[in-house]
Amino acid sequence: QPPPSKRQKSKKELAADDGMSLWPLSERRDPAVWRALSGLSATHGAWLGRGRDASQGTYDSLRLACAWRIENPRRSARVEGGTRCMSDELDCLKRKGGVAREVWR
């Protein structure tokens, strides 16, 4: 076994260091998240394949190759509380007629 400085730390060890851990996502295991992230790479094909990167060949689209979910248990309660608060505020605005219908699609 390599010395501790050379071996890769486990997710548990990494989370203990700073409270965060990385979880790889896959198209097979996480299809909804993968589709959402893939949609973020949609771009105008004519804008690609120009500049310094074009020396590696031509292309007209981007494809999601890999992604990770970052977890930080120390902050999860804060995130959940913020999400609840935002949801409550949007519900209040919706009742008052202050939210456009398009937001809820």
Side-chain angles (χ1 to χ4, degrees):
Q1 183 172 359
S5 61
K6 297 292 182 186
R7 71 177 172 83
Q8 189 173 7
K9 292 183 176 183
S10 71
K11 289 178 185 162
K12 187 175 182 179
E13 288 172 311
L14 288 171
D17 285 348
D18 60 10
M20 293 189 282
S21 59
L22 295 173
W23 298 93
L25 298 174
S26 79
E27 188 172 9
R28 184 179 50 79
R29 278 192 327 267
D30 312 287
V33 174
W34 196 268
R35 276 192 306 276
L37 292 172
S38 292
L40 295 173
S41 66
T43 189
H44 194 286
W47 296 347
L48 300 174
R50 299 176 186 271
R52 286 181 287 192
D53 63 328
S55 65
Q56 302 299 316
T58 60
Y59 56 93
D60 61 2
S61 64
L62 299 175
R63 179 182 62 83
L64 182 64
C66 55
W68 293 266
R69 182 177 71 235
I70 301 170
E71 291 184 358
N72 186 342
R74 294 178 188 169
R75 292 191 170 228
S76 62
R78 186 177 185 186
V79 170
E80 290 168 10
T83 302
R84 256 190 322 275
C85 181
M86 182 66 76
S87 179
D88 292 346
E89 289 175 1
L90 284 172
D91 288 343
C92 181
L93 286 171
K94 187 177 178 185
R95 284 191 305 273
K96 293 180 178 188
V99 176
R101 203 168 167 77
E102 289 78 30
V103 172
W104 301 103
R105 285 186 190 180

